[in-house]
Amino acid sequence: MVMSKITNSAPDVLRTVHSAVVPLTLFGKHSKEEQERSLWEIVWLELGVSDQSATLLHLSDISSLCSLSLSSTSWTNRVQAADTLRTVATVLGSSYPPQQLSANVDLLVDATTGRTFPGKCAILSALAKCLTSPKRSNLSDLGVEEGRWCQCF
């Protein structure tokens, strides 16, 4: 709600902190609560950025936020981070930078270890999207060792 108000009353100030706002907004757009998600959608539209350019420009900040959330004790945060990374893979497709893609695959693999928990399917879905979006011939092209990602199954 606060971000929505700031977006409306001081958009020029908001643009000076894009590197913090864009990742948070993208993450917020994946909330499981409808009202919260719609507020973040409004903020995203008010930012006036295209999905692909904003995602690519702020990819490292988005990944950092998702990394923190994937290691959270809250399953809701983990699912939201996984959904965010799945969207990133969808939006970037073949323009996903290989080094960042590999790092995000590692984040998702690490998040799948351990017992089954609510939302693990969201993490596996994000992992699948990351592995299939760049149209690589095999996993080693991503710098991912096959034995490493298989440990989550």
Side-chain angles (χ1 to χ4, degrees):
M1 181 96 142
V2 172
M3 287 297 282
S4 182
K5 296 290 184 189
I6 293 172
T7 304
N8 289 331
S9 61
D12 51 335
V13 173
L14 198 58
R15 292 191 206 304
T16 63
V17 290
H18 254 201
S19 62
V21 174
V22 169
L24 187 60
T25 304
L26 183 61
F27 184 79
K29 285 174 45 172
H30 294 87
S31 173
K32 294 300 176 197
E33 295 184 29
E34 181 65 36
Q35 186 176 11
E36 186 178 328
R37 188 172 53 246
S38 66
L39 287 173
W40 285 112
E41 288 282 348
I42 291 168
V43 172
W44 185 264
L45 291 173
E46 291 292 327
L47 288 172
V49 294
S50 79
D51 288 354
Q52 187 171 20
S53 64
T55 302
L56 196 53
L57 182 62
H58 300 288
L59 186 55
S60 63
D61 297 318
I62 293 166
S63 296
S64 295
L65 177 60
C66 288
S67 175
L68 290 172
S69 297
L70 284 169
S71 61
S72 170
T73 57
S74 164
W75 307 120
T76 305
N77 284 352
R78 287 181 176 195
V79 169
Q80 196 169 347
D83 289 345
T84 301
L85 289 175
R86 188 181 66 240
T87 297
V88 166
T90 301
V91 167
L92 294 182
S94 61
S95 63
Y96 209 137
Q99 285 183 315
Q100 193 65 54
L101 176 60
S102 180
N104 287 345
V105 166
D106 285 344
L107 288 175
L108 291 164
V109 168
D110 289 344
T112 60
T113 58
R115 65 187 177 99
T116 302
F117 55 87
K120 196 168 195 175
C121 287
I123 293 172
L124 293 173
S125 174
L127 181 59
K129 187 63 182 174
C130 284
L131 292 173
T132 58
S133 70
K135 306 290 187 241
R136 305 275 193 254
S137 61
N138 58 44
L139 292 175
S140 62
D141 291 346
L142 296 173
V144 177
E145 300 171 28
E146 287 188 44
R148 166 106 170 89
W149 72 269
C150 290
Q151 74 186 9
C152 62
F153 302 105

